Amino acid sequence: MTTLKLGRCFSRTAPSLARCITTGSTTGQDYGVGSSRSLQLDNPRIMITGSLGQLGQGLAKVLRNKYGRDNVIMSDIVKAPKHIHDMGPYLFADILDFKNLQEIIVNEGVDWMFHFSALLSAIGEHDVPLAIKVNIQGLHNVMELAKMYSLKLFIPSTIGAFGPESPKNPTPDFTIQRPKTIYGVAKVHAELLGEYYYHRFGVDFRSLRLPGVISGDTVPGGGTTDYACSIFDHALTQPDPFQCYLRPDTRLPMIYIDDCLRAIVEMMEVPAADLRMRTYNIAGLSFTPQELTEEVKRYIPNLEVSYRPDGRQEIADSWPQVFDDTNARNDWGWAHRYDMDKLVDIMFQVVTQRLGIRPMHKGSASAGR
């Protein structure tokens, strides 16, 4: 465990900080869901960790439109491009540095936190020690700070939180979870720790198990489901066949990013009393690489795809094929809007705009190929 040098009144481990900070009553009822401040805010101060990734930038835009530009603080550990700074507040935040996070929460008056900092599935398998630091140690810092400062906390979970022993079609909310990646192990840990902090300390922890998230706004980040994003860039710019690292019949749950972001915001706004669980499955659609390829060919008929499974195939084989999100639909009215047709249509619109090429229409011969 990383130790922290935080002055004479603090012990060397982060959890002991709670003894040195005046937060009013220290009973569980004064944290998280027991805090009237966290429940009644019309314009909460919001912090997003790992905000330069696939979800963070889109969520910041949605939240700023809803709660105000200056009330949403993006953060990450790298220098952000100019357009990010132009959009609103951006800060350096290292989730492994407890004091750094603490200073931001106190100085900026943070009320809600969306914790997106993590190494994804395939990347984590190449550097397990780093994944443990970022995905588990960072989680511990965030969870303790949520308890100390009565934060409403969202931490995404994943299809990777399940393993080969889990039922695959459909996969319910409550079933055996024995993931075989460090990413999945860390997510199960987050689910259980968040539920514990909710019951033990009243922390308003919320989580959604996300399918593979499909987005055309940013470059894919190395996840096992990212072929479903990469195929669009490749089809529009490369003449050679697209190499897919999964078998053509590998079915996985997916969701378009607009549906995903809407689900996250909707869940955060649901009154705590209406949530029967702290972690829910959400689903959009499920498809295979071969099925997606056929849909992409509606735009680019001469697209060719070769299938060369690599280490990500083993990961995908351990994951659900179809998510059962009945509880989310019943408890807080979740419903996806993008089916396969709408997904492919919007992806070509977004990717062509990002690449600066002419818009595509169904049946086009090629573009940049």
Side-chain angles (χ1 to χ4, degrees):
M1 175 180 289
T2 299
T3 56
L4 306 166
K5 300 178 181 179
L6 298 176
R8 288 176 294 178
C9 78
F10 300 118
S11 73
R12 291 177 60 84
T13 57
S16 298
L17 291 170
R19 304 190 189 98
C20 301
I21 295 178
T22 302
T23 58
S25 172
T26 57
T27 63
Q29 286 76 16
D30 289 321
Y31 291 118
V33 296
S35 168
S36 60
R37 172 173 168 77
S38 67
L39 283 175
Q40 303 300 328
L41 289 171
D42 292 328
N43 289 295
R45 293 279 289 168
I46 300 169
M47 178 179 178
I48 307 172
T49 69
S51 66
L52 295 184
Q54 182 187 31
L55 293 178
Q57 295 185 48
L59 182 65
K61 183 177 180 180
V62 171
L63 292 172
R64 282 168 174 164
N65 288 337
K66 191 173 186 66
Y67 295 114
R69 174 186 182 275
D70 293 333
N71 282 327
V72 179
I73 304 161
M74 297 178 67
S75 70
D76 216 310
I77 60 171
V78 298
K79 183 178 179 180
K82 183 178 183 300
H83 77 272
I84 294 293
H85 288 280
D86 291 341
M87 289 169 55
Y90 176 86
L91 296 174
F92 171 87
D94 181 358
I95 62 167
L96 299 180
D97 186 337
F98 189 93
K99 187 174 181 179
N100 173 224
L101 290 179
Q102 183 184 18
E103 288 175 345
I104 293 172
I105 290 167
V106 172
N107 293 342
E108 299 294 336
V110 173
D111 304 297
W112 293 8
M113 179 179 287
F114 294 84
H115 179 50
F116 288 158
S117 295
L119 294 188
L120 297 179
S121 55
I123 297 174
E125 292 306 293
H126 289 291
D127 195 338
V128 172
L130 180 60
I132 290 174
K133 279 188 175 182
V134 174
N135 296 7
I136 297 179
Q137 182 181 326
L139 165 75
H140 292 175
N141 288 340
V142 167
M143 197 74 71
E144 189 64 22
L145 287 164
K147 183 189 78 173
M148 291 167 57
Y149 295 105
S150 302
L151 305 183
K152 181 183 283 190
L153 176 63
F154 179 86
I155 300 177
S157 190
T158 169
I159 55 175
F162 297 98
E165 297 86 1
S166 307
K168 295 183 180 298
N169 189 357
T171 303
D173 283 303
F174 294 106
T175 187
I176 187 170
Q177 292 178 259
R178 291 292 184 271
K180 297 300 186 282
T181 66
I182 189 58
Y183 178 66
V185 169
K187 287 301 185 183
V188 173
H189 177 63
E191 292 179 16
L192 295 177
L193 190 66
E195 192 166 323
Y196 172 79
Y197 267 64
Y198 166 70
H199 290 292
R200 178 67 175 82
F201 303 113
V203 172
D204 194 352
F205 165 82
R206 304 178 184 212
S207 182
L208 295 174
R209 295 193 189 102
L210 303 179
V213 179
I214 301 176
S215 168
D217 292 321
T218 57
V219 177
T224 302
T225 59
D226 279 342
Y227 82 88
C229 303
S230 302
I231 191 172
F232 291 93
D233 281 68
H234 188 99
L236 289 166
T237 62
Q238 303 297 325
D240 54 308
F242 174 68
Q243 293 187 9
C244 182
Y245 48 78
L246 299 180
R247 293 191 311 268
D249 62 347
T250 306
R251 184 173 302 280
L252 292 170
M254 302 284 187
I255 192 170
Y256 183 57
I257 190 167
D258 285 6
D259 274 343
C260 178
L261 297 177
R262 181 170 53 82
I264 292 170
V265 175
E266 285 180 2
M267 191 206 190
M268 282 293 277
E269 293 177 339
V270 173
D274 293 342
L275 297 176
R276 294 186 300 116
M277 302 181 295
R278 294 288 104 188
T279 301
Y280 288 83
N281 292 346
I282 61 164
L285 60 164
S286 293
F287 56 77
T288 68
Q290 186 172 20
E291 291 169 349
L292 179 60
T293 297
E294 293 305 312
E295 292 296 321
V296 172
K297 284 184 175 181
R298 293 190 294 121
Y299 283 85
I300 303 180
N302 60 347
L303 172 67
E304 296 180 5
V305 177
S306 62
Y307 296 96
R308 298 182 181 179
D310 62 16
R312 286 168 284 194
Q313 183 66 58
E314 184 177 359
I315 296 173
D317 287 341
S318 72
W319 285 356
Q321 296 176 354
V322 176
F323 252 169
D324 179 356
D325 61 355
T326 303
N327 288 314
R329 294 176 185 270
N330 290 341
D331 289 2
W332 44 278
W334 158 247
H336 72 284
R337 296 174 182 171
Y338 285 86
D339 58 15
M340 180 70 98
D341 287 345
K342 291 181 66 176
L343 169 69
V344 173
D345 289 347
I346 192 65
M347 280 295 289
F348 271 111
Q349 292 177 37
V350 173
V351 174
T352 52
Q353 183 177 18
R354 172 168 56 81
L355 296 176
I357 61 181
R358 63 181 175 84
M360 297 297 299
H361 303 285
K362 295 175 184 178
S364 299
S366 62
R369 290 172 57 80

